[in-house]
Amino acid sequence: MKNKMSRGKFIRLGGLTLAGALVSDLVFANDLFSDNGKTKVDTQLMKKLLLNNDAKVKSILDKGLVNPNIRISNFRPLAGAITAMTASISHSESEYYKSKVLEEKLNQVMDIMLKEQYSDGTLDAGGNRQSPPDTAFILEYICPAAAVLNLEKQKDLEGLRNKMKSFIVNAGEAMVTGGVHTPNHRWVVSAALANINFLYPDAKYVRRIDQWLAEGIYIDAEGHYSERSGIYSVVIDKALITIARLLNKPELLNIVQKNLTTYFYYMEPNGDLVSVDSRRQDQFMDINSSKFYLPYRYMAIYANNPMFAQMAKNIENLPDFTTETLSGSLLFFMENKELQQPLPVAANVENDYEKFFALSNLARIRRGKTAVTLFGGNDKPVMIVSGRSSNPNFLMYRKSDAILKYMRLSTSFFRMGYFSSDGIIKEGNKYILKETKEADYYQPLAAEFRKADGDYTLSPSPDGRFWNKMEFDSRSKSNVKQQITVIEVTENNGRLNLDFKVDGPPNVEVTIEMCFKEGSNITGAVKDEKNNYFLNSGLAELSMGADSIQFGPGKVEHRNIDNLDSEIYTYHQGSLRTNGVHVYITGFTPFRHKMTIS
């Protein structure tokens, strides 16, 4: 890693004027650095960071802090307040520099943190009691704050620094001995240990990091970590950058670069991230790429990567960049000076590509302002649980502000729910998705398995739909029914031709469900009393502002659109239906339908 300036010198010189409009960037930069301009700084960004950080501090002071007499289990807001207040009290150009009010508030917050910290060094986090990994997430905020305070060395803050040290060293014991839940937790804990070791060096911290690293950091050939999650990819990227920086392990940054390259293709034109293939909770969430800003910025500068530079610049232009980044990141720029350097020259972002991730069974297609996502990579058997992919959305389509959030297909075949493809086969510009569902009935038990009292083992049916005391594994199957669904999607310059085929027992209800973004205007389809649309025939159009999507033709042979989710959900009155404008095409098996989306 390059180290052109000591951290102490960086903090001393890191002040940026609030009255930026009155001071030229050239004078500003020259005042900041005394090494003949060898190190440059993105002065405009730093001004924005300072202004927004001070605004956040003002909001914190206006709202007040939590009641110290009320026990809490979500410490991230407090940790975020610590980083913001520490940055302002330590920054010579902040209106809160050396503020007695902030000194008092910071001491109050650290008193709360110490009071809530268990004797083993941990904190609670929601349902996770005395959680080492959740404590590590808090250290991600507290350790850089302690680093900045230690470098600034304000005499009046000695007591605060000692409180932080007590909290961090106590938590360090939990990091050295405690366990984890999920794959990303290993690297979050390791990053916390790297931070602690940087502040208060001890070989035991490094030994524990080496234990976790010895397990290997999984990343597949296409650049995905095992959880395949945008939320946790950025968590891992940040953690690996921290470990690489503080323990001189630059090889870890190769892994980060591979993941960030993958997420270039997962970013929609408006900054949203594709998450349909995630194995974690974000597979059913809308998430934004702003969370990736710090890794993209750091790696753009470190690797002089023009693609990453463009990604960082794109994120800077997103509407939520201020709330997601500017309002809470100043301290991290103060602690890690590389982030302050100007971005390298950006590349022109590719907006015409076709990228097929065969391992994830996900295709991403960009044709100018049109973006297409196809997905057929759920983990089988489909199970509704964290750590497995189970999202039934197989197609998403966007033309700027006109957005088809998802297309799904469901049938009434034994109430087994939505179509979930067994992968994707790519043939030229055609993508083939196919699924075989099977259900059966059960014969009487053979004599050797019978029990006079009928008390058989409570067990699941082979198709996973229900449990009963039926000794299913000892019974022969009969009357086996099979349904085969094939969906072929052919893409031509952003236009999609879809061919649906569903075969199996006759007279099974088939439902194609399209969900468009909230607020979409639909013409050409008929709305029912529940505000659902049915496309009886011909073409329909979705419009949002100046943008539109045409789709169809339609057909409607039934109007039963309830219980599409499968018995697993509906038995518990659950549903996968989301907010949005819903349009349906329906029929019966043997089902054949062709339509276009453009």
Side-chain angles (χ1 to χ4, degrees), residues 101-114:
V101 173
L102 281 199
E103 178 186 342
E104 179 184 351
K105 293 298 181 183
L106 278 164
N107 275 287
Q108 287 178 6
V109 177
M110 284 312 305
D111 287 340
I112 293 171
M113 300 292 285
L114 287 165

Side-chain angles (χ1 to χ4, degrees), residues 512-538:
I512 298 171
E513 178 183 27
M514 290 169 279
C515 178
F516 297 93
K517 186 177 180 180
E518 300 89 324
S520 297
N521 181 52
I522 301 291
T523 57
V526 179
K527 185 163 62 172
D528 69 6
E529 66 280 0
K530 295 183 179 179
N531 293 321
N532 296 307
Y533 287 87
F534 289 86
L535 183 55
N536 295 315
S537 62

Side-chain angles (χ1 to χ4, degrees), residues 334-594:
M334 294 170 68
E335 186 267 341
N336 175 11
K337 70 176 182 295
E338 282 85 359
L339 290 171
Q340 287 203 24
Q341 296 176 26
L343 289 167
V345 175
N348 290 323
V349 170
E350 196 178 0
N351 63 0
D352 194 315
Y353 60 77
E354 185 173 3
K355 183 75 171 178
F356 180 43
F357 295 90
L359 297 178
S360 300
N361 285 286
L362 182 138
R364 285 282 295 154
I365 302 169
R366 280 290 306 276
R367 306 296 182 209
K369 67 178 184 178
T370 299
V372 180
T373 304
L374 293 168
F375 178 58
N378 280 335
D379 296 313
K380 296 295 183 83
V382 174
M383 297 173 65
I384 314 305
V385 64
S386 178
R388 293 180 70 84
S389 173
S390 59
N391 194 314
N393 304 346
F394 66 85
L395 169 64
M396 290 124 279
Y397 187 93
R398 296 178 176 224
K399 288 175 72 175
S400 295
D401 290 335
I403 297 176
L404 170 60
K405 293 170 63 174
Y406 60 75
M407 176 180 279
R408 300 171 177 172
L409 183 144
S410 183
T411 76
S412 60
F413 180 80
F414 289 86
R415 295 186 66 194
M416 295 180 76
Y418 286 111
F419 167 83
S420 180
S421 185
D422 299 316
I424 295 179
I425 297 172
K426 187 178 188 302
E427 296 180 353
N429 64 336
K430 179 189 292 185
Y431 295 85
I432 303 170
L433 296 85
K434 180 179 180 180
E435 181 194 38
T436 300
K437 279 183 162 69
E438 187 173 287
D440 39 59
Y441 297 84
Y442 306 96
Q443 291 293 311
L445 286 169
E448 65 266 29
F449 299 116
R450 296 171 189 160
K451 295 181 179 180
D453 61 1
D455 188 12
Y456 299 104
T457 303
L458 181 65
S459 60
S461 62
D463 56 22
R465 291 190 296 130
F466 48 80
W467 288 62
N468 267 309
K469 300 189 76 168
M470 287 280 290
E471 211 75 53
F472 287 109
D473 289 344
S474 299
R475 296 178 184 271
S476 299
K477 298 178 182 179
S478 69
N479 311 88
V480 176
K481 306 299 178 186
Q482 193 175 78
Q483 177 179 274
I484 299 174
T485 302
V486 178
I487 304 173
E488 296 182 355
V489 182
T490 304
E491 186 269 337
N492 185 9
N493 196 30
R495 177 186 175 93
L496 301 183
N497 294 312
L498 288 84
D499 188 357
F500 298 88
K501 303 182 183 72
V502 185
D503 290 302
N507 304 314
V508 171
E509 295 164 318
V510 178
T511 302
I512 298 171
E513 178 183 27
M514 290 169 279
C515 178
F516 297 93
K517 186 177 180 180
E518 300 89 324
S520 297
N521 181 52
I522 301 291
T523 57
V526 179
K527 185 163 62 172
D528 69 6
E529 66 280 0
K530 295 183 179 179
N531 293 321
N532 296 307
Y533 287 87
F534 289 86
L535 183 55
N536 295 315
S537 62
L539 298 178
E541 182 177 87
L542 145 78
S543 60
M544 178 71 83
D547 302 303
S548 64
I549 296 172
Q550 288 75 41
F551 58 98
K555 70 175 177 180
V556 175
E557 296 180 350
H558 70 81
R559 291 179 175 266
N560 181 14
I561 57 172
D562 296 324
N563 302 320
L564 300 178
D565 307 274
S566 86
E567 191 164 340
I568 294 173
Y569 281 95
T570 56
Y571 181 80
H572 295 282
Q573 291 77 53
S575 175
L576 284 168
R577 180 183 167 107
T578 70
N579 293 330
V581 180
H582 293 257
V583 182
Y584 295 92
I585 294 172
T586 66
F588 292 93
T589 56
F591 181 80
R592 299 288 185 274
H593 188 65
K594 293 183 179 182

Side-chain angles (χ1 to χ4, degrees), residues 202-217:
D202 192 315
K204 66 184 179 182
Y205 300 136
V206 179
R207 284 196 298 268
R208 186 62 164 180
I209 293 170
D210 288 341
Q211 269 189 292
W212 289 119
L213 289 176
E215 294 187 4
I217 302 168

